[in-house]
Amino acid sequence: MTAPSEAPWLLHGGTAVSLDRTAGRPVGRERQLDEIHGRLGDPGGPRLVLVRGERGAGRTEFVYAVGELLRAQGTAVLAVGCVPGDGVRPFLLALRLVMALEEHRPAAAHRRSTRSARPATEALRAAEQRDGTAMAGLLRAALAQPGLAPVVVLMDDLQHADAASLAVLRETDFARVPHTVRLLASEAARGGPGATGWESVGGTHTLVLSGLGPEETTTVVARRLRAAPDTTLARRVRELTLGVPGAIDALLTGWTRQGAIRVADGHAFVGARRPTPVLSDDDRFMTALDALGEPCRTVAGALSILWPLGGRAPLLIATSTGLPTDEVSDALRALTDADITEPLPALCVDGTVTPAPTSQDATLPAPDDTPPPGWRFRLPVVAHAVRERLGPLERSRLSATAVEALWAEQDAVRTEDAEGVTPYRRRPVGVALPDEADAVAYLADRVAEAGSLVDLDRAVAELTAAAQRLHPDSEGRGVLRWCRAACHLVERPADRVAALHRYAKAAYNAGDHHTARTIAESVLRNLADVLGPRALQDTAALFTAATTNDLDWRALSRLATARWWDELRLPELAAVTGRALALSQLERWQEALDLLSRTEPVWATDARARAKPAYFRAVAELALGRPERFRESLAFPEAPYLDTGHVHALATAMFDELLSGRDLRAAEALLDAQGLTADLLAPRSLFLWRHLQGRWDEALESARWMLANNQTSTPAADSHLVPARTAAVLLARGRPTSARRLLDSVRADAARGPEEGPLEYSIDAVEAELLRALGDPAGAEKALRRGLDAAAVRGQIAGTDELWAALAETHADEGRPGEAATCLRHLRLISDRTGDARTRLRYLLASAHVQRQTGRAGPGTFGTVHGNLREAVELARSRSQPYETAVTLVAAAEAGAGPPALLHEAYELFGGSGAALPRFHTRTAMREAGTTVPGRRAATAENEQLLATLIAEGLTNRQIATVLRLSEDAVANRLTRLFARTGLRSRTEVVTAVLTNYRVHRGAAEQG
């Protein structure tokens, strides 16, 4: 079973991308293209169409796309472009127009012109003599000459044209030009048509190309990357480029050159902790700035740091650069005229919004001595590039200027607050950013860059406070960066250790586990005498967790030994905590319990010291099939004695563990009790949560990001939950090859010695499900036995219920009732021992399946098949998990333990999660039960989409027949209908259609 080589299906770590620069119709401009194409083809339409737009708006691409549409319908298209330097040669553009139109004249007209002076010759003479009257007459004659075949002349980049030619054009009454001649021009400009002098010219029409909207921007990114961008990548592109196509291409080019964009499962992501790229020196936006020279470049550099200070920025620029204020004002005006900067539309400082002036000629100071509202860069990506091109000393100096100004204003406000003059405000005072978090981040960034140029103690306090306020840093504003800066600025040893610990925690939370591990180990080895036992305990736990997430299993095995910790001469509390966590992460549960039992007097001294070891013990007992202590821990008795960070860490660990055991209701109750929301959860937690909720599209988005960044490990007892459940979703959506490749890539990445690393029983369970779907029961049994044998070595019980249930069903399908009954007895024992609702449900379903397949009742006294399935339905409904409920409803309906209406309910639940394969099987069951399948046309479209997906997965007709539980002839007939309905002619074309996200059922829907 091999997937097509070009398929971008997901692999652990993702794949790099390159930009697709294939020409095509400009994305997001379809309506405008049709409009201009229609106007130029209308005999009564305008003779001159002017397309205007800012730098990078895509004017050239647009006018040439219109030209291609016209050329395709038989209209001649002539190109007369303008380039920098044309402006110094009077009448150059007019001359080129006359010459181009003369070349287009019919042959007979050319012969007549030999008997008199040719228009081109006369135009050349008029240009040399700078005779505007003669040139205007020649141009009118060229435009109005009789017998001219339909022609459109493209005039690109009119902003470079000479003023004399533009004057001639503006004096031309285009309403008198024959309908066979049209001019299509582009011009770099912003704003409305009234700013160019064309508004009074007859027979003209102006179109302004604005920035693309959010959907169009996302579509552009998808086309360039040949992959759908995730929400974070799409949002970053929109925020940095404001939808300007040229800026989008420049940004994506920078990221791809860095190798920062990774693709997993046909979706593109910016790699974790990847910075915004700096535009190259030859980029159009940077060359426009460089062309202005000094002092514009100096002012632009300072503005890139100081612009959020609003109206104070110009004066601060003058002070910090030594430039006179009038030169700063002139430079700001020049930058604005060049479309690099713009006046702030409004200042939002401390909740006060002040409208900005409408004129682009704002100066310093304003005529009424009112401070101007300030300036900002037109595009944030340009502001970033200008700032990054500054030298480190220059950035530090300018940042210090900003910090001192903001601190002075903060001090004044605090004085007023203390005196009751103004209410206390949390956001940084004087920052012209409407979002409070962005304002906090701006000040913290400036403090970090100012470094030793500002008061060190206050700088450290500012950075620490900002990191605490914006933790967790889900938007990537810079918590890790601020903690690192604080470490460099701290002078006292005790304070430095605390700062290092905060930095390590920030690195861990940001997914930079190697940095977290390095710092934590350095503290343990070199600075242990400065920290107390509790702080060392936290550091030891952090170090061990970071080593785990760094996937260094050999190092983790060393951390599981007493010898490693003894060498550090740490307090016993820290050593026991770190070692117990290492044993737990290696899933050596009994060893962890033995260690914690022997050392309980060491770690059970108070609530804070007890919290982590007690939780490790509870999880170890849970894994060994004794969940009582873990369930008691959910009450969180230590919470009142722990700081917010500890509570958050333990609560999310418990949340993941509950979701690992598929206990959705208990997990959500824990969230509510601890006041946690989705924005505070890590991607792994969001994945597990959304998966059980049946919100699979959202779950897959988190999974793809983790896979692309190689961050799929979870701190739960089962560390392979993310790839295992992702593969299960892919299988349910008809993508077995993608699921298999994912499982294989995880096993390859996890290659290690037999005693190292976590178990892979969840991977084995999904692999067995995959093999059963493909008709390989022997392979499925082998995978299940492998998982059970490995779990038995370590005494693992939790999670093995899935393996025993699947093995029982596999034996029953193969006609081996005795072996199936043995598996059910194991499953029954686990259910009785743990009291787990999920295990009970799996037992009820498996025993019913075994009895239906073999005609034998399951062991024990759980009653008949119908009784078991009715209990299973009630239990599944109480657990509120859509996919699990749907599977249970189908089993009950097919066994006659409930009405056929259960199939309708299951059908809708499968549809809600996008489980295309079981939904297909449910349609079959509904037809066999004689019930109506809702939405015949939609059902046909879904069938064909599923069939196309299976083809794109590289499955043969025989494999497809097995997966769909059809005959090969039935599959062949469906393929024939698929080709007929969609117009596709081969399996290769079907693969291409699926890979480009073409909905193959479109033809079916249209023919309906």
Side-chain angles (χ1 to χ4, degrees):
M1 181 174 61
T2 305
S5 60
E6 69 271 24
W9 301 146
L10 76 173
L11 291 172
H12 217 209
T15 55
V17 297
S18 58
L19 288 189
D20 182 359
R21 301 186 184 276
T22 305
R25 296 187 65 171
V27 176
R29 308 294 192 195
E30 292 81 6
R31 181 183 59 79
Q32 294 97 324
L33 277 172
D34 292 339
E35 175 199 343
I36 299 305
H37 178 235
R39 287 181 182 274
L40 291 173
D42 181 5
R47 303 309 191 250
L48 169 64
V49 172
L50 177 64
V51 177
R52 303 178 64 236
E54 63 183 295
R55 184 180 297 106
R59 303 177 313 275
T60 298
E61 182 185 28
F62 183 88
V63 296
Y64 277 92
V66 174
E68 287 302 314
L69 292 176
L70 294 167
R71 188 177 284 113
Q73 69 182 31
T75 301
V77 179
L78 311 177
V80 179
C82 302
V83 296
D86 284 358
V88 299
R89 302 177 63 184
F91 298 110
L92 178 61
L93 174 59
L95 173 63
R96 288 172 174 170
L97 278 172
V98 172
M99 295 176 66
L101 290 168
E102 182 182 359
E103 288 296 321
H104 183 65
R105 286 192 302 166
H110 274 291
R111 285 194 297 273
R112 286 194 299 271
S113 69
T114 60
R115 294 190 293 271
S116 60
R118 297 183 60 178
T121 303
E122 294 182 3
L124 181 59
R125 183 181 302 112
E128 291 174 346
Q129 296 175 357
R130 302 190 178 184
D131 187 343
T133 302
M135 184 64 79
L138 289 167
L139 180 58
R140 285 194 297 271
L143 292 170
Q145 56 187 299
L148 198 64
V151 62
V152 172
V153 183
L154 302 185
M155 298 186 295
D156 193 21
D157 287 337
L158 282 188
Q159 73 274 9
H160 298 309
D162 62 280
S165 294
L166 292 177
V168 168
L169 286 170
R170 288 177 180 139
E171 293 168 0
T172 302
D173 184 0
F174 286 95
R176 297 177 178 272
V177 173
H179 68 84
T180 54
V181 179
R182 306 295 174 93
L183 276 68
L184 176 60
S186 76
E187 180 181 45
R190 285 172 42 221
T196 65
W198 292 101
E199 64 277 6
S200 61
V201 180
T204 66
H205 173 75
T206 299
L207 170 71
V208 178
L209 295 179
S210 57
L212 300 175
E215 291 186 5
E216 290 87 358
T217 300
T218 300
T219 303
V220 169
V221 176
R223 175 178 292 183
R224 292 289 186 263
L225 300 179
R226 298 186 297 273
D230 81 315
T231 54
T232 299
L233 173 56
R235 175 180 54 78
R236 288 185 69 180
V237 172
R238 288 197 304 271
E239 291 176 350
L240 288 166
T241 68
L242 305 185
V244 175
I248 295 172
D249 280 348
L251 179 63
L252 295 179
T253 297
W255 263 325
T256 53
R257 285 175 178 170
Q258 293 175 359
I261 298 180
R262 312 296 294 177
V263 171
D265 196 27
H267 289 70
F269 306 81
V270 177
R273 301 177 304 282
R274 287 289 191 166
T276 300
V278 178
L279 301 181
S280 62
D281 289 344
D282 60 355
D283 179 85
R284 73 183 84 189
F285 299 101
M286 305 313 296
T287 56
L289 171 60
D290 292 339
L292 297 177
E294 293 295 349
C296 288
R297 283 183 294 193
T298 295
V299 171
L303 187 67
S304 70
I305 298 286
L306 300 173
W307 76 264
L309 300 183
R312 294 162 298 166
L315 184 58
L316 292 174
I317 291 173
T319 302
S320 60
T321 62
L323 292 171
T325 55
D326 57 342
E327 285 193 28
V328 173
S329 181
D330 291 343
L332 287 170
R333 186 184 300 109
L335 289 166
T336 301
D337 291 342
D339 205 20
I340 295 169
T341 63
E342 63 184 6
L344 282 171
L347 292 183
C348 183
V349 181
D350 304 322
T352 302
V353 179
T354 304
T358 56
S359 170
Q360 292 191 0
D361 293 326
T363 58
L364 193 171
D368 59 355
D369 293 329
T370 301
W375 289 262
R376 68 180 179 188
F377 280 82
R378 167 74 186 120
L379 296 177
V381 70
V382 176
H384 173 78
V386 173
R387 183 173 61 250
E388 292 303 308
R389 292 210 303 180
L390 296 173
L393 293 178
E394 194 172 6
R395 280 205 306 270
S396 296
R397 180 170 48 79
L398 289 166
S399 291
T401 299
V403 171
E404 296 293 357
L406 290 173
W407 279 354
E409 192 158 345
Q410 281 182 349
D411 292 340
V413 168
R414 287 196 183 99
T415 301
E416 293 176 352
D417 290 341
E419 296 173 354
V421 177
T422 60
Y424 176 69
R425 287 154 286 194
R426 289 188 53 185
R427 74 190 311 283
V429 177
V431 180
L433 294 168
D435 185 86
E436 178 178 326
D438 286 338
V440 172
Y442 171 75
L443 176 55
D445 281 341
R446 300 288 71 78
V447 172
E449 287 200 336
S452 59
L453 298 182
V454 295
D455 181 88
L456 295 184
D457 290 339
R458 187 167 182 176
V460 172
E462 192 83 60
L463 293 168
T464 302
Q468 291 172 342
R469 283 182 63 181
L470 298 187
H471 170 80
D473 191 15
S474 57
E475 295 295 316
R477 287 188 172 94
V479 167
L480 182 59
R481 183 170 61 251
W482 308 330
C483 290
R484 179 171 60 243
C487 287
H488 294 317
L489 298 177
V490 169
E491 294 182 311
R492 290 183 292 273
D495 293 342
R496 177 168 175 75
V497 174
L500 283 170
H501 191 259
R502 285 192 297 270
Y503 180 25
K505 287 173 63 176
Y508 181 83
N509 291 325
D512 188 357
H513 300 118
H514 182 74
T515 296
R517 174 183 174 186
T518 301
I519 295 171
E521 183 174 11
S522 175
V523 170
L524 292 175
R525 289 188 179 279
N526 305 316
L527 301 169
D529 56 332
V530 182
L531 291 177
R534 303 292 183 273
L536 286 171
Q537 180 191 33
D538 293 342
T539 306
L542 177 65
F543 172 57
T544 304
T547 302
T548 303
N549 283 282
D550 212 18
L551 305 180
D552 190 342
W553 304 112
R554 294 188 184 279
L556 192 64
S557 295
R558 291 193 291 272
L559 299 188
T561 65
R563 178 179 177 180
W564 193 94
W565 296 97
D566 290 344
E567 290 177 353
L568 298 183
R569 299 183 179 180
L570 297 171
E572 196 172 359
L573 174 64
V576 166
T577 301
R579 185 183 172 198
L581 178 56
L583 289 168
S584 298
Q585 300 284 29
L586 292 167
E587 295 173 9
R588 290 158 58 178
W589 305 115
Q590 193 56 55
E591 292 180 64
L593 286 179
D594 291 343
L595 172 64
L596 292 170
S597 177
R598 292 195 309 269
T599 59
E600 186 166 0
V602 172
W603 54 263
T605 54
D606 59 66
R608 191 180 184 285
R610 182 174 62 244
K612 287 186 175 69
Y615 180 71
F616 302 158
R617 179 175 63 181
V619 172
E621 291 181 354
L622 174 68
L624 295 175
R626 305 197 298 274
E628 295 79 14
R629 204 185 299 268
F630 178 79
R631 290 170 184 161
E632 292 171 0
S633 71
L634 297 177
F636 232 126
E638 299 89 356
Y641 308 99
L642 304 178
D643 60 51
T644 303
H646 280 87
V647 172
H648 177 270
L650 280 176
T652 52
M654 292 178 180
F655 181 72
D656 289 350
E657 203 65 65
L658 288 167
L659 296 178
S660 171
R662 299 179 186 264
D663 195 342
L664 177 62
R665 296 187 68 179
E668 291 179 338
L670 176 67
L671 281 189
D672 291 339
Q674 298 303 323
L676 296 176
T677 54
D679 61 304
L680 298 176
L681 297 176
R684 64 171 183 271
S685 302
L686 282 175
F687 168 80
L688 297 173
W689 190 14
R690 300 309 187 210
H691 172 259
L692 293 188
Q693 288 180 317
R695 297 161 64 175
W696 283 4
D697 288 336
E698 296 172 60
L700 282 177
E701 184 167 352
S702 297
R704 293 182 188 111
W705 184 91
M706 289 184 285
L707 287 162
N709 288 284
N710 252 353
Q711 294 185 14
T712 61
S713 181
T714 60
D718 182 354
S719 66
H720 290 305
L721 286 173
V722 172
R725 292 186 181 174
T726 300
V729 169
L730 294 175
L731 176 60
R733 291 191 162 187
R735 297 176 54 190
T737 304
S738 298
R740 185 55 184 264
R741 291 183 68 189
L742 171 57
L743 298 177
D744 290 345
S745 70
V746 172
R747 290 193 193 279
D749 288 347
R752 51 187 172 262
E755 302 300 322
E756 296 175 331
L759 297 170
E760 298 178 351
Y761 56 89
S762 57
I763 298 290
D764 296 323
V766 178
E767 182 180 351
E769 181 184 2
L770 169 65
L771 293 170
R772 288 176 67 191
L774 291 169
D776 184 4
E781 179 182 352
K782 181 179 178 182
L784 294 168
R785 290 288 184 192
R786 180 174 63 237
L788 288 168
D789 290 345
V793 171
R794 302 190 192 178
Q796 178 87 27
I797 297 296
T800 60
D801 53 338
E802 304 288 340
L803 301 175
W804 285 117
L807 190 56
E809 293 169 356
T810 301
H811 287 323
D813 292 342
E814 292 298 291
R816 293 150 66 183
E819 294 174 70
T822 300
C823 294
L824 287 178
R825 280 193 289 273
H826 283 288
L827 187 56
R828 166 73 183 279
L829 288 173
I830 295 173
S831 178
D832 291 345
R833 180 176 177 180
T834 63
D836 180 68
R838 168 67 181 179
T839 306
R840 170 68 174 169
L841 179 60
R842 288 299 284 125
Y843 173 80
L844 293 171
L845 294 175
S847 61
H849 182 89
V850 169
Q851 184 169 355
R852 288 188 64 209
Q853 293 296 100
T854 65
R856 294 189 180 187
T861 58
F862 282 112
T864 65
V865 170
H866 285 188
N868 282 352
L869 289 174
R870 282 192 288 270
E871 180 187 347
V873 169
E874 182 179 352
L875 180 56
R877 290 191 191 281
S878 71
R879 288 168 51 77
S880 304
Q881 298 177 35
Y883 184 79
E884 179 185 83
T885 301
V887 170
T888 305
L889 295 176
V890 170
E894 289 185 333
L902 295 180
L903 292 173
H904 284 274
E905 184 181 350
Y907 188 70
E908 295 302 320
L909 290 173
F910 283 135
S913 59
L917 188 55
R919 186 169 157 95
F920 175 89
H921 295 317
T922 306
R923 276 196 293 272
T924 302
M926 292 166 72
R927 294 190 183 98
E928 292 174 351
T931 63
T932 303
V933 177
R936 182 183 64 84
R937 180 178 298 182
T940 299
E942 287 183 31
N943 286 342
E944 294 187 343
Q945 182 66 31
L946 176 59
L947 180 59
T949 300
L950 292 169
I951 293 171
E953 289 283 295
L955 270 64
T956 64
N957 280 14
R958 176 175 296 181
Q959 290 173 320
I960 293 173
T962 301
V963 169
L964 297 182
R965 303 172 192 168
L966 300 172
S967 67
E968 287 190 58
D969 288 342
V971 170
N973 290 335
R974 287 172 181 266
L975 273 173
T976 300
R977 291 196 295 271
L978 172 68
F979 293 146
R981 284 178 180 269
T982 62
L984 301 173
R985 294 170 294 179
S986 67
R987 295 172 73 97
T988 300
E989 289 188 5
V990 172
V991 172
T992 302
V994 172
L995 294 181
T996 54
N997 296 319
Y998 175 84
R999 301 292 292 178
V1000 298
H1001 66 263
R1002 181 181 301 167
E1006 291 172 352
Q1007 297 179 30

